[in-house]
Amino acid sequence: MVDYYENNNANVHRGVHSLSLEATEMYEKSREHVTKFINANDSSEIIFTRGATEAINLTAYAWGLNNLKENDEVLIFLMEHHSNIIPWEITAKLCGFKIKYVNVTSDGILDIKDFENKISSKTKIVCLSHVSNVTGVANDIKSLSKTTHDHGAVLLVDGAQSVPHMPIDVQNLDVDFLAFSGHKMLGPTGIGVLYTKKTLQQKMNPYQGGGEMIKDVTFNSEKQLCNISWNEPPWKFEAGTPNISGIIGLSAAINYLEQIGMNNILAHEQDLTKYAIEKMKSLTKISIYGPTDSSKCGIIPFNINGLSSHEVALLCDSYGITIRSGYHCAQPLHQIFQIPSSARASFYLYNTHEEIDYFLNVLKEVQTL
Ligand code: PLP
């Protein structure tokens, strides 16, 4: 990112001068890198956004408003982050489709029976996170994708908590849309990705209007209007000056993750999670939510009897331990757990067993307060 600002700082796809050509090359190379990282079929399937949130909003507006009408149904699981609920609630009010929410069990697992009961020929899209940001539960995307496609619907996967932590192959998973964020995978803030299957892009309207997303704008003075033709995807969905340095930074982050290996990252996090859960279970005042087996990713939601989740997080912070507290933008799932909030320990590739030992010693002290 520093190199770009120091040596190639110009806008992309705009100029004929050297700096612009260099910036464009770096920008499009990053797109190709992301394409390979998730094994997309073609780099035109990679749309750069501000983050997972904008990627899901883009889907709801650019695909949803163009493909959904009254009597159509959108299925959303109750484990979703608000960013995979609210865009659909907003667009439902604009075009009148119906949202059906699919249950999650009190253990934080998808209620597949409820999904099978609710999916029908009216269902047009199923919206689901790959890994829950509250419990770390990893959903069986391949099987859910098959059921979704068998009913003629498409699948949007929120990969914000999976793409940074495990190998992802969009063709093998057969997802139609995949959203993720750069800042959750060692990249900079303000950058994200929406993968969209090429076949669906033709059925999508632009998300925002402006420079770069058009091919031609000609003024018709007789009719007093502009005739517009859209640019090809992915640029059709990237209006205005993009986050060029952020996109270059995302590619650098992917490079780093690839050198370590996504399988190694997943194995390391699962090992840490298993280690931490075993130790946490021995603490008498702690409740852990969701499954505690080895299938989950590196996230442990918990509460300590007699303390609010924010009190736990503040006490941990005073020992130099950073954990989240609150409802983690997933209030419906906390309703299912019948708790107002939770503290959440989460791990990434840089965490160690020694840090977990220290964390456990702190929790032991905190639970005596
Ligand atoms: N989806 C999940 C599962 C998340 O954990 C998050 C962020 O916490 C988001 C979506 C939203 O990501 P962003 O804020 O980067 O757009």
Side-chain angles (χ1 to χ4, degrees):
M1 291 166 76
V2 171
D3 176 46
Y4 158 74
Y5 278 123
E6 285 184 348
N7 299 306
N8 324 93
N9 188 1
N11 211 333
V12 292
H13 293 293
R14 303 282 199 285
V16 293
H17 54 79
S18 305
L19 287 180
S20 178
L21 297 181
E22 286 159 19
T24 303
E25 192 183 331
M26 290 166 93
Y27 177 76
E28 291 303 334
K29 263 197 181 146
S30 299
R31 196 192 308 277
E32 279 163 29
H33 195 183
V34 174
T35 308
K36 286 204 184 85
F37 183 61
I38 59 168
N39 195 33
N41 197 29
D42 192 274
S43 61
S44 65
E45 297 178 321
I46 304 300
I47 300 165
F48 289 120
T49 64
R50 225 163 26 87
T53 302
E54 190 178 43
I56 298 169
N57 274 275
L58 196 162
T59 312
Y61 283 84
W63 182 86
L65 292 185
N66 203 33
N67 291 275
L68 300 172
K69 48 190 183 325
E70 242 174 272
N71 296 324
D72 285 343
E73 291 177 358
V74 170
L75 294 197
I76 301 176
F77 287 83
L78 282 169
M79 71 165 57
E80 291 316 291
H81 188 280
H82 296 161
S83 61
N84 205 11
I85 295 176
I86 314 300
W88 300 106
E89 286 282 356
I90 295 173
T91 46
K93 289 192 176 63
L94 296 177
C95 65
F97 61 82
K98 189 171 175 195
I99 300 177
K100 280 194 167 172
Y101 286 98
V102 184
N103 291 338
V104 171
T105 69
S106 56
D107 298 330
I109 307 284
L110 298 186
D111 183 341
I112 295 297
K113 276 225 163 83
D114 193 45
F115 174 53
E116 286 167 355
N117 284 339
K118 285 180 178 154
I119 194 164
S120 72
S121 58
K122 286 186 177 179
T123 311
K124 296 294 174 261
I125 186 165
V126 175
C127 306
L128 169 69
S129 48
H130 191 171
V131 171
S132 160
N133 68 309
V134 177
T135 60
V137 164
N139 296 312
D140 182 351
I141 296 299
K142 216 172 163 174
S143 139
L144 290 155
S145 154
K146 185 171 181 323
T147 312
T148 301
H149 292 146
D150 285 349
H151 287 81
V154 297
L155 181 67
L156 162 74
V157 172
D158 173 354
Q161 296 291 345
S162 63
V163 176
H165 303 280
M166 61 178 69
I168 296 291
D169 180 333
V170 285
Q171 294 188 66
N172 180 45
L173 294 174
D174 199 13
V175 301
D176 300 289
F177 299 102
L178 176 78
F180 57 99
S181 294
H183 69 97
K184 294 181 191 295
M185 47 197 289
L186 311 181
T189 50
I191 185 64
V193 171
L194 176 67
Y195 158 82
T196 52
K197 244 185 213 166
K198 206 170 186 159
T199 45
L200 289 170
Q201 291 181 335
Q202 301 313 323
K203 298 177 188 158
M204 290 165 66
N205 275 335
Y207 171 51
Q208 292 176 333
E212 188 54 27
M213 47 76 69
I214 42 84
K215 203 177 268 168
D216 233 15
V217 184
T218 49
F219 180 58
N220 182 325
S221 57
E222 221 168 86
K223 294 187 179 161
Q224 286 290 301
L225 53 75
C226 285
N227 294 316
I228 308 164
S229 59
W230 310 131
N231 202 344
E232 295 301 318
W235 308 290
K236 175 179 168 183
F237 305 106
E238 291 178 356
T241 300
N243 181 356
I244 304 164
S245 67
I247 288 161
I248 290 164
L250 173 63
S251 176
I254 293 175
N255 221 4
Y256 185 84
L257 295 174
E258 282 175 332
Q259 277 171 34
I260 293 165
M262 297 311 292
N263 273 318
N264 294 334
I265 292 170
L266 179 64
H268 176 66
E269 288 176 21
Q270 285 184 328
D271 176 51
L272 291 179
T273 310
K274 195 170 156 217
Y275 183 75
I277 284 178
E278 282 315 309
K279 296 207 157 202
M280 285 169 81
K281 274 180 177 170
S282 67
L283 303 182
T284 48
K285 282 194 177 175
I286 286 195
S287 312
I288 300 175
Y289 308 102
T292 52
D293 61 29
S294 58
S295 64
K296 65 189 234 129
C297 298
I299 295 174
I300 309 173
F302 67 97
N303 272 320
I304 296 185
N305 226 346
L307 292 172
S308 76
S309 65
H310 290 322
E311 284 169 329
V312 174
L314 283 171
L315 286 162
C316 283
D317 187 53
S318 69
Y319 289 90
I321 296 170
T322 303
I323 61 168
R324 273 283 301 271
S325 54
Y327 46 70
H328 319 299
C329 302
Q331 225 174 333
L333 186 56
H334 282 79
Q335 269 174 272
I336 290 172
F337 291 153
Q338 298 187 342
I339 49 173
S341 69
S342 58
R344 188 188 69 179
S346 54
F347 310 117
Y348 204 13
L349 51 97
Y350 39 71
N351 290 115
T352 63
H353 290 93
E354 291 70 33
E355 286 173 337
I356 292 173
D357 290 340
Y358 177 63
F359 172 55
L360 260 293
N361 284 336
V362 169
L363 285 188
K364 268 184 207 157
E365 257 186 77
V366 168
Q367 74 164 6
T368 60
L369 294 173

